[in-house]
């Protein structure tokens, strides 16, 4: 299989959304410092998420009877892109809108869908992702969290790590082992469970990073009971389900817009005649952003048509993480007091935050090594 990124034209309906979105976001982020806006998809604001839900901008592609509006993937893409470009605080609803809701829609039973999807779309129900584990990291096939069948459901024991905003979320969709330990087929015997984080036996411990934020968490599961109806899809099919989920996680504009506010702030702060280094740097960023955006839109189009573009999504994530990590690094190297205007305090603060935060960009959604293994296998190179 070879990656395929066909040319994409933005749908007219998606283009028509942008004026409305920009007007709303301009008022919503007014007064926020650039350093705060640079947090965007790690910024937790439940009131903002509820306001988006009231406007129908969460769960947009879902059926109307389940809280959605039957919109296309490209319309949803327009909303996500404008949110991130504005630096809006989207973390509360982010994971539920991007992938947990899509999983529920595809694999959940009717009771789960009817209960959870309208609340997610309203910006009132929040999810986190239970994939990585201590000692396993991004090698999901080596995870050891186990769910044992019991009367009425499952008993779950184990732990998860790098679980974003688990301390605030209501539920976690966890990949667990329900079958025999790995034999010749390392991907067999996994299932996905919807675990309520208020359940007895669940302990959530935030992990503070070097910026002082604590959005990553470790979760301990000690004999946690999960009702049988909260199994997603079929027992033993968890691996196939989670690979489809990762395509949703890896391909969006969040994979190359995490440093966008810094670029925006730089352009606002540069003096009238910047030197050749900064001129070349901003030109290179613009060219790479355009290319990554076209690739990401192509993946959205494939998702719209029902395909599972795992290789293409992995390429977008790998290249996007490299780009958004390079922006603060390269700007730091090029920093010259003579090149800036007088009022560059916001720029310095934003640069300081992203320099400290950017190492995590290649961790979330799968490490670079895992992604390149997926790409190599897909291209028949290993």
């Amino acid at each position: 299989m070879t990656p395929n990124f066909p040319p994409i034209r933005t749908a007219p309906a998606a283009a028509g959304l942008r004026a409305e979105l920009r007007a709303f976001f301009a008022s919503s982020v007014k007064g926020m410092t650039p350093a705060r806006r640079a947090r965007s998809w790690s910024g937790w604001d439940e009131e903002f998420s509820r306001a988006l839900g009231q406007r129908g901008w969460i769960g947009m592609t879902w059926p109307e009877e389940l809280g959605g509006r039957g919109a296309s993937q490209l319309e949803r893409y327009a909303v996500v892109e404008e949110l991130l470009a504005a630096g809006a605080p989207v973390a509360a609803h982010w994971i539920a809108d991007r992938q947990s809701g899509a999983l529920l829609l595809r694999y959940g039973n009717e009771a789960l869908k009817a209960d959870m999807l309208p609340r997610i779309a309203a910006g009132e129900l929040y999810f986190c992702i239970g994939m990585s584990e201590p000692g396993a990291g991004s090698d999901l096939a080596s995870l050891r969290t186990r769910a044992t069948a019991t009367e009425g459901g499952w008993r779950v024991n184990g732990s998860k790590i790098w679980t974003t905003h688990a301390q605030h979320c209501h539920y976690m969709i966890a990949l667990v082992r329900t079958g025999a330990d790995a034999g010749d087929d390392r991907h067999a015997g996994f299932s996905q469970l919807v675990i309520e984080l208020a359940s007895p036996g669940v302990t959530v411990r935030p992990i503070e990073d070097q910026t002082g934020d604590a959005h990553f968490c470790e979760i301990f599961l000690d004999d946690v009971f999960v009702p049988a109806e909260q199994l997603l899809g079929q027992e033993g099919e968890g691996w196939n389900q989670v690979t489809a989920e990762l395509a949703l996680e890896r391909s969006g504009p969040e994979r190359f817009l995490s440093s966008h506010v810094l670029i925006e702030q730089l352009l606002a702060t540069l003096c009238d005649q910047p030197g050749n280094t900064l001129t070349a740097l901003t030109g290179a960023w613009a060219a790479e952003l355009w290319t990554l955006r076209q690739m990401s839109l192509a993946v959205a189009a494939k998702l719209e048509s029902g395909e599972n573009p795992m290789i293409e999504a992995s390429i977008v994530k790998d290249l996007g993480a490299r780009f958004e990590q390079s922006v603060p690094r390269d700007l730091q190297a090029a920093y010259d007091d003579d090149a800036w205007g007088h009022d560059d305090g916001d720029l310095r603060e934003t640069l300081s935050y992203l320099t400290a935060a950017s190492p995590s960009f290649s961790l979330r959604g799968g490490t670079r090594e895992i992604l390149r293994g997926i790409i190599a296998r897909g291209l028949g190179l290993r």
Side-chain angles (χ1 to χ4, degrees), residues 358-382:
S358 59
S360 71
F361 295 171
S362 55
L363 170 65
R364 56 197 190 189
T367 64
R368 189 163 282 129
E369 293 77 10
I370 292 295
L371 292 169
R372 292 179 179 179
I374 292 170
I375 295 165
R377 283 193 296 273
L379 296 175
L381 301 177
R382 58 179 289 188

Side-chain angles (χ1 to χ4, degrees), residues 350-363:
T350 308
L351 176 58
S352 177
Y353 165 72
L354 283 170
T355 299
S358 59
S360 71
F361 295 171
S362 55
L363 170 65

Side-chain angles (χ1 to χ4, degrees), residues 198-222:
S199 301
V202 177
T203 302
V204 179
R205 295 181 184 170
I207 302 170
E208 185 173 310
D209 64 25
Q210 62 185 352
T211 71
D213 293 342
H215 56 276
F216 284 138
C217 295
E218 188 167 12
I219 300 180
F220 300 91
L221 305 161
D222 184 11

Side-chain angles (χ1 to χ4, degrees), residues 19-319:
E20 181 184 0
L21 291 164
R22 290 176 183 180
F24 174 72
F25 298 151
S27 63
S28 300
V29 304
K30 186 177 181 180
M32 290 174 55
T33 66
R36 185 182 171 197
R37 290 193 296 115
R39 284 161 166 81
S40 194
W41 66 292
S42 65
W44 190 275
D45 188 330
E46 297 179 17
E47 183 178 350
F48 180 78
S49 291
R50 287 193 292 268
L52 288 185
Q54 290 169 4
R55 288 162 174 78
W57 292 339
I58 302 175
M60 294 178 63
T61 61
W62 308 342
E64 292 183 14
E65 62 270 21
L66 292 173
R69 54 193 290 181
S72 69
Q73 288 288 346
L74 293 177
E75 288 175 279
R76 180 187 176 277
Y77 192 100
V79 172
V80 171
E81 188 173 51
E82 293 294 336
L83 278 165
L84 296 172
V90 300
H93 70 273
W94 189 256
I95 289 168
D97 176 50
R98 180 180 67 186
Q99 62 200 93
S100 302
L103 277 180
L104 286 165
L105 186 62
R106 184 171 181 179
Y107 298 112
N109 57 55
E110 294 305 315
L112 273 183
K113 290 190 286 189
D115 173 42
M116 294 182 172
L117 289 174
R119 290 192 287 155
I120 292 173
E124 298 172 351
L125 190 66
Y126 314 130
F127 277 71
C128 59
I129 304 165
M131 292 188 193
S132 297
E133 295 186 5
S138 292
D139 182 15
L140 298 182
S142 65
L143 65 79
R144 292 179 290 181
T145 296
R146 175 168 289 281
T148 304
T150 188
E151 183 177 356
W154 306 87
R155 289 285 176 185
V156 184
N157 289 277
S159 62
K160 297 291 178 180
I161 199 167
W162 314 126
T163 311
T164 304
H165 286 305
Q167 73 270 44
H168 304 304
C169 290
H170 302 106
Y171 288 92
M172 170 177 67
I173 295 182
L175 183 66
V176 299
R177 187 171 291 283
T178 53
D181 289 337
D184 292 337
D185 185 355
R186 298 181 70 234
H187 300 149
F190 291 112
S191 302
Q192 286 185 299
L193 297 176
V194 181
I195 300 177
E196 186 172 4
L197 294 178
S199 301
V202 177
T203 302
V204 179
R205 295 181 184 170
I207 302 170
E208 185 173 310
D209 64 25
Q210 62 185 352
T211 71
D213 293 342
H215 56 276
F216 284 138
C217 295
E218 188 167 12
I219 300 180
F220 300 91
L221 305 161
D222 184 11
D223 209 31
V224 177
F225 177 72
V226 180
E229 59 269 21
Q230 290 177 205
L231 170 72
L232 275 189
Q234 299 296 315
E235 181 185 350
E237 290 297 315
W239 187 263
N240 293 331
Q241 293 171 198
V242 85
T243 54
E245 179 182 0
L246 286 168
L248 298 170
E249 181 179 356
R250 290 171 172 163
S251 60
E254 67 271 25
R255 296 307 174 193
F256 54 87
L257 287 178
S258 296
S259 296
H260 181 78
V261 171
L262 181 59
I263 299 174
E264 174 191 274
Q265 195 64 29
L266 169 65
L267 294 174
T269 307
L270 281 176
C271 64
D272 291 337
Q273 294 184 345
N276 291 337
T277 299
L278 287 175
T279 300
L281 196 57
T282 53
W285 287 340
E288 194 160 359
L289 265 175
W290 185 91
T291 303
L292 286 166
R293 183 174 186 265
Q294 295 304 304
M295 295 169 69
S296 180
L297 280 166
V299 175
K302 283 178 170 288
L303 291 169
E304 174 77 13
S305 66
E307 298 179 57
N308 181 15
M310 175 58 68
I311 301 174
E312 292 88 345
S314 297
I315 293 172
V316 170
K317 199 277 183 185
D318 185 31
L319 295 178

